[in-house]
Amino acid sequence: MTYRWISLLLGSLLLLTGFRPMQATDATSIKLTVQPFFEGNYRAGNWIPFQITVANDGPDLSATISLQAGTSFATNLELPRGAEKSVILYARPLDEIRRAATVRVLTSGAELAKIETPIKGVGAATPVVGYIAQQAVTLPLPEAQAGTPKIAQVTVQPGDLPERSEGLSMFDALVIDGAPLTSLSARQQQALTDWVRMGGQLVISGADLQATLAQLPETLRIATAGTAAPSGQISLLPQLTAEQTPAATELVGAAGTRSIATIGTTTVGVQQQFGRGQISLLGFSLAAPELGLLPDAALFWDNTAILRVSTTNFQQMQRSDDLQAQQFASALTLLPVLAVPPLTTLAIVLGLYLLIIGPGLYLLLRRLDRQAWGWVAVPLVTIVFSLGAYGYGLRLRGSDTILNQISIVESIAGRSRVRTYAGIFSPRTQTYQITTSPDALIEPVMSGEFSGGAPLSTGQYLQGSGSIKDLGVPQWSMRMFTAEQQLDVQPLEARLTVEGSTLRGTVLNTGTTPISDTALVHDVQVVKIGTLQPGESRSVELVLDGGAAFDRNIGIGGMLLDGKANSFNRAGQLPIDVRMQQTMLDTIFNPFFGPPKGPVVVGWATSGPLPVTLDSTRAQHQQLTLVVAAADVTLSESGNFSLGQGWFNSSFQASGLGVGGPCVTRFSDGWYIDNGTLTSTMRLPAGIQPSQVRQATLRVERDGPPSALKLSVYDWQSEQWVAQALEQNTVALSEPGRYFSNAGLLRARVESTGDSAKGGGCVGVDLQIEGSRQ
């Protein structure tokens, strides 16, 4: 009877409180489908999007969609009864050996559905070309050279263009040939534009160019299509006769474009550099049957999209972002030194304690005639002083969590790629909830963990909310992660003009906060500007000397911080903020990580545009933001220019038995060679036509044991290599216009015959040009 009354009483209480028994979710009520973009192809170290669709025929639920492809990425999704929702998740596999990605639907820790979808990885060294084409492209790819990977081809449907530029990071080049693009959203168009801005190579072609251009962002429309071009041989396809040449359309290029393909005097191909990338627009279709007759398309690809191993595109060995992350991780471990009480304060507190515990307490108890209370008073005074010291220590925040954050804002052509690296140092074992921008892609930094042997980072990296859930940090350890996003910000703006061998112009702070220690950097030369207040601009001038006085042992960081740090000091003797600044500068301008080419302005901000916060946790927050903005460079009205080291974006192709990898000579980037051949391809800066170059000088350097070097330069008119006589490592090219292609390319080949027993050396090729636009 007693149990019956208790049951009735509990039931009544549950009804009054509105409680309803939780209905179990049947796993069969969840329908899960997964479609990886690009037919499941991915390149190691690059992002790949997945479209995930979940349908719920059961009760309402809050689910977590988890994507496992190395690191676990996730997003939260509300699924009412009868709902069907699609989300796009991005994963970044770090190797090419994965054959499947695992997607799960989870709720309250229970797995409701699971799918393993096939994926196919290509090596980080493999160039990848994507085709968005209405018909199959007949133009062949260049043949892979000995020792280099074969170029991979990936078919991309127009609807598969992601809404983030990171989703296109696997592609070296994208070809759009006649495909309908009417369904492209504004976010897809922005992603495509950002991909080109940050270094992508876009080739646009087709039989109906006007329709294709109308569907692309205005920034990518570099020409207008005219009438049909006359029949004849296309200069970009010299292997085909006039009868074999496909039909073409005349193009009228916009300001700043360069003609790369002609039929007689009619332009049928133009090119323009945009940010770090380039756009090539062709007035004929790459799906034309005639192009299948080409025995070799290397000339075409060299002039439209270079698909070669390059030190400026370091993906052939390891993605430059990952290499930089290892260096930035070391900067995160430079924790702020906990405040130490001043010696004067310690002396006063200790003296006061001794005074009270000694004669003070004795005299007080004697005056009160309560000497027997000494055994109580002494412990009480000690406790009071201990609590006071503990409170003073808390005030110094010695027990606080430390959030160490560094950001790199890379501005180019009006937008910025923002990367934030953060590390959480915990004085106790604790789980943290982290929040940043909802649109940021977050992932763990897998190297440089400051953890004393603790396991790798845990936690869920949620996309769509820009957060990390339940990141566990062991005691006295640090966990690191990075967040990335493209933003419409450009804190610094530089407009420069080349007048002979001098750069002149202005640098403007376009932001809302001061930027300190601003400087103009070109290759290995530095001009300090100082602190710029919001809206403030200053004039700047740099005489280009080719870096003759540069000491590579100091580096750009040492040159910019020489007022704060003595290069003879050991790093441990420098202030923490200076050591962090030097690490960040040396990483950005490291020649092995693809440093900026051409003039840039740098400066320091106290906070970045990508905030990081710890939810419900007090933390000592240390922030440092480096701004790197590419300068907008034009030629002076006089039109005279003299450009040397640091202007030419070189790519390398090496072959032979004694060939290594990227290296740096005293004067330029290079490649390690013992017995072998190095081909260097250099491109004229934007705005300079090949016909405007009246003098070109090549310099060849080799650091290491002596060896015989033979130099030859490709003559684009005769289509032959022409041997050049090296005199003191330099050679002035006669009739330099012959050695530049219509796309502004110069190709130099160096043959090295060294002594294998003595080892090889670093071979570098650099170019200096003089000319006038008039």
Side-chain angles (χ1 to χ4, degrees):
M1 182 66 68
T2 302
Y3 292 111
R4 180 182 178 185
W5 283 107
I6 292 174
S7 300
L8 290 173
L9 179 61
L10 290 175
S12 300
L13 290 173
L14 292 175
L15 289 174
L16 289 174
T17 58
F19 175 81
R20 296 290 183 273
M22 184 175 66
Q23 295 178 313
T25 302
D26 186 359
T28 59
S29 65
I30 299 297
K31 306 299 181 185
L32 174 64
T33 57
V34 180
Q35 182 61 52
F37 281 40
F38 317 134
E39 301 177 337
N41 292 281
Y42 73 92
R43 183 162 67 178
N46 293 265
W47 293 94
I48 175 176
F50 291 77
Q51 182 167 341
I52 302 169
T53 303
V54 186
N56 178 25
D57 294 332
D60 300 351
L61 62 90
S62 297
T64 297
I65 313 301
S66 171
L67 169 61
Q68 178 75 35
T71 301
S72 179
F73 302 94
T75 190
N76 293 325
L77 201 61
E78 294 295 328
L79 291 171
R81 177 188 291 273
E84 179 177 302
K85 294 186 178 181
S86 292
V87 295
I88 294 178
L89 282 180
Y90 293 78
R92 196 168 80 90
L94 298 178
D95 52 58
E96 65 269 22
I97 62 175
R98 298 190 178 276
R99 295 294 176 263
T102 304
V103 178
R104 295 180 174 89
V105 180
L106 308 170
T107 182
S108 301
E111 181 181 292
L112 301 182
K114 173 183 175 181
I115 284 182
E116 290 193 358
T117 184
I119 55 177
K120 298 170 287 185
V122 298
T126 303
V128 180
V129 178
Y131 291 105
I132 310 171
Q134 192 171 30
Q135 297 179 339
V137 170
T138 56
L139 179 81
L141 286 168
E143 293 292 332
Q145 301 296 316
T148 61
K150 184 179 179 181
I151 297 171
Q153 304 180 60
V154 175
T155 300
V156 181
Q157 301 300 325
D160 278 353
L161 281 174
E163 295 185 347
R164 303 186 62 108
S165 61
E166 295 89 347
L168 294 169
S169 60
M170 70 177 287
F171 295 104
D172 292 278
L174 278 175
V175 176
I176 299 177
D177 189 274
L181 303 175
T182 53
S183 62
L184 288 188
S185 67
R187 288 176 62 93
Q188 287 175 307
Q189 292 185 4
Q190 184 65 68
L192 182 62
T193 304
D194 286 340
W195 172 77
V196 177
R197 176 186 285 107
M198 296 308 299
Q201 301 177 98
L202 180 64
V203 180
I204 305 170
S205 58
D208 187 3
L209 272 180
Q210 199 63 42
T212 301
L213 291 173
Q215 299 161 7
L216 287 173
E218 185 176 354
T219 307
L220 305 181
R221 304 174 196 168
I222 64 172
T224 56
T227 59
S231 59
Q233 189 180 50
I234 298 177
S235 61
L236 198 58
L237 307 170
Q239 301 98 326
L240 298 180
T241 64
E243 292 74 19
Q244 297 171 326
T245 300
T249 301
E250 180 182 8
L251 299 178
V252 180
T257 58
R258 178 184 288 146
S259 174
I260 61 171
T262 58
I263 298 178
T265 59
T266 302
T267 297
V268 294
V270 295
Q271 187 178 87
Q272 186 176 59
Q273 291 174 247
F274 176 57
R276 294 179 183 171
Q278 67 180 23
I279 308 157
S280 300
L281 180 62
L282 305 173
F284 52 92
S285 173
L286 301 187
E290 295 89 344
L291 298 185
L293 302 175
L294 276 173
D296 180 16
L299 176 66
F300 173 90
W301 287 106
D302 279 349
N303 282 276
T304 56
I306 297 177
L307 306 174
R308 299 180 183 275
V309 174
S310 168
T311 57
T312 56
N313 179 12
F314 204 59
Q315 292 176 335
Q316 73 280 1
M317 292 193 174
Q318 187 175 0
R319 196 166 184 257
S320 61
D321 286 356
D322 294 327
L323 294 170
Q324 289 183 351
Q326 296 173 16
Q327 304 301 314
F328 293 138
S330 66
L332 292 177
T333 61
L334 299 173
L335 301 176
V337 178
L338 298 180
V340 177
L343 291 178
T344 303
T345 303
L346 290 175
I348 292 174
V349 171
L350 183 58
L352 185 62
Y353 173 76
L354 294 176
L355 181 64
I356 294 176
I357 204 72
L361 190 59
Y362 170 76
L363 293 175
L364 177 64
L365 294 178
R366 181 179 176 182
R367 181 179 181 85
L368 297 174
D369 195 21
R370 294 292 187 269
Q371 290 88 341
W373 288 5
W375 65 275
V376 176
V378 171
L380 285 176
V381 170
T382 303
I383 291 174
V384 169
F385 268 86
S386 298
L387 291 175
Y390 180 76
Y392 186 63
L394 284 180
R395 186 176 180 182
L396 292 177
R397 309 180 75 168
S399 62
D400 277 359
T401 298
I402 298 175
L403 173 59
N404 207 0
Q405 177 184 347
I406 59 176
S407 300
I408 299 90
V409 181
E410 296 177 272
S411 300
I412 188 166
R415 274 171 64 89
S416 294
R417 179 195 184 198
V418 182
R419 287 177 290 163
T420 284
Y421 297 84
I424 301 175
F425 178 80
S426 179
R428 65 189 70 85
T429 299
Q430 187 171 335
T431 298
Y432 295 90
Q433 316 301 321
I434 299 100
T435 303
T436 183
S437 169
D439 289 331
L441 286 180
I442 313 176
E443 62 174 329
V445 176
M446 303 304 292
S447 62
E449 295 283 347
F450 179 40
S451 57
L456 291 175
S457 301
T458 58
Q460 284 187 337
Y461 294 82
L462 298 174
Q463 297 177 11
S465 62
S467 60
I468 306 176
K469 181 181 179 182
D470 299 332
L471 180 66
V473 184
Q475 187 177 26
W476 308 123
S477 299
M478 175 175 278
R479 287 291 180 256
M480 305 179 190
F481 57 91
T482 179
E484 177 179 348
Q485 188 176 350
Q486 298 271 352
L487 294 173
D488 277 320
V489 297
Q490 186 166 347
L492 281 175
E493 182 180 281
R495 297 187 181 277
L496 305 176
T497 301
V498 178
E499 298 180 3
S501 59
T502 303
L503 273 174
R504 291 189 179 92
T506 58
V507 178
L508 171 67
N509 179 354
T510 60
T512 58
T513 59
I515 299 180
S516 61
D517 297 324
T518 309
L520 170 65
V521 179
H522 174 65
D523 192 47
V524 295
Q525 293 184 255
V526 169
V527 173
K528 296 182 180 180
I529 301 171
T531 299
L532 290 176
Q533 299 299 326
E536 182 182 3
S537 66
R538 290 188 191 172
S539 300
V540 64
E541 180 176 310
L542 173 61
V543 178
L544 305 172
D545 63 4
F550 178 65
D551 183 355
R552 289 189 179 271
N553 294 322
I554 296 177
I556 297 297
M559 296 174 67
L560 290 172
L561 300 172
D562 61 357
K564 297 182 178 181
N566 187 319
S567 60
F568 294 100
N569 284 346
R570 291 180 301 173
Q573 296 174 327
L574 301 177
I576 286 178
D577 58 340
V578 177
R579 293 163 60 190
M580 293 181 68
Q581 287 179 319
Q582 189 159 10
T583 299
M584 294 171 70
L585 288 169
D586 289 343
T587 299
I588 289 295
F589 291 99
N590 190 313
F592 295 112
F593 301 161
K597 287 292 182 181
V600 297
V601 286
V602 299
W604 300 93
T606 54
S607 61
L610 205 58
V612 176
T613 58
L614 301 184
D615 297 347
S616 304
T617 302
R618 187 181 73 171
Q620 184 175 351
H621 196 174
Q622 177 175 268
Q623 294 190 70
L624 195 59
T625 298
L626 174 63
V627 179
V628 183
D632 182 8
V633 181
T634 58
L635 299 179
S636 68
E637 294 181 0
S638 67
N640 294 321
F641 56 85
S642 178
L643 307 179
Q645 183 174 320
W647 286 99
F648 302 97
N649 200 2
S650 302
S651 62
F652 298 108
Q653 184 177 15
S655 60
L657 298 176
V659 171
C663 57
V664 179
T665 70
R666 292 175 297 168
F667 299 99
S668 62
D669 298 342
W671 210 265
Y672 180 91
I673 293 182
D674 180 4
N675 289 303
T677 300
L678 174 69
T679 302
S680 175
T681 302
M682 291 163 277
R683 186 186 299 276
L684 288 175
I688 298 179
Q689 303 292 340
S691 60
Q692 297 167 350
V693 179
R694 63 171 180 262
Q695 183 175 337
T697 302
L698 283 169
R699 177 163 61 183
V700 180
E701 292 287 338
R702 187 180 194 276
D703 294 342
S707 66
L709 297 179
K710 297 180 180 179
L711 173 68
S712 54
V713 184
Y714 189 75
D715 186 331
W716 296 89
Q717 295 183 14
S718 65
E719 300 179 22
Q720 294 180 347
W721 289 95
V722 180
Q724 306 290 329
L726 279 173
E727 297 180 3
Q728 297 183 346
N729 294 337
T730 63
V731 59
L733 301 177
S734 60
E735 299 182 65
R738 303 179 60 86
Y739 300 105
F740 287 97
S741 72
N742 289 337
L745 299 179
L746 183 144
R747 299 178 67 184
R749 185 173 65 188
V750 180
E751 298 179 61
S752 173
T753 54
D755 186 347
S756 300
K758 296 180 180 179
C762 186
V763 176
V765 183
D766 205 355
L767 175 66
Q768 180 177 351
I769 62 172
E770 295 181 11
S772 173
R773 291 191 301 169
Q774 299 178 348

